[in-house]
Amino acid sequence: NAGVMQNPRHLVRRRGQEARLRCSPMKGHSHVYWYRQLPEEGLKFMVYLQKENIIDESGMPKERFSAEFPKEGPSILRIQQVVRGDSAAYFCASAGQGDSPLHFGNGTRLTVT
Amino acid sequence: RKEVEQDPGPFNVPEGATVAFNCTYSNSASQSFFWYRQDCRKEPKLLMSVYSSGNEDGRFTAQLNRASQYISLLIRDSKLSDSATYLCVVKDPGGGNKLTFGTGTQLKVEL
């Protein structure tokens, strides 16, 4: 029973490139959450998605960031035209219905050079 | 005021010591509370939920004071393996599973 799978584990991009982070939730989970952890800071909520729907994107920066969770395949967090300040650990978590706890993936560490 | 506030530490304690972490939250409508543990910037892992009546799991005891909007975690008989960052977490009362994390308190247990 695989947990939440994120890839890549590490991603290096030059300024101005695009970064695509993928997250496959636990089997049977239909809710996905993305969090960002900047160096020396706590985890900050970015976006909450269910299949084909964005439920809450109140934590997403207004520009360059987008997220999707298609009917088939993993959830994708996309960062266009990356800047050095985007360097962070990006964690995905999934949950089942109702009040079930969140399960986190190993994270993707993005470094922008 | 931050939504969830914690003392960042670090707390350096000898093995076998008892250590307590505190946390305050700003949204009085919050209903669900947790302690997570994070090792060396790996993914956070749920340590325990926090219930109004207080709850214990082995060496770990969590307490909630709704009137003061205050949460605590007590670790007894500290082990070297307890060294980690402890995150106070509050679930958003608006529905779903959206969590707000404190910045964490770092614990170092030493020989």
Side-chain angles (χ1 to χ4, degrees), chain A residues 33 35 37 99-100 105 109, chain B residues 38 41 43 91 97 99:
Chain A
Y33 299 76
Y35 284 81
Q37 188 170 32
D99 237 9
S100 52
R109 274 133 190 94
Chain B
Q38 188 175 28
R41 302 187 72 77
E43 76 275 21
K91 187 173 170 183
N97 246 321
L99 302 177

Side-chain angles (χ1 to χ4, degrees), chain B residues 5 13 35 53 86-87 91-92:
Chain B
E5 288 208 63
V13 303
W35 284 99
S53 52
Y86 289 83
L87 307 171
K91 187 173 170 183
D92 190 295

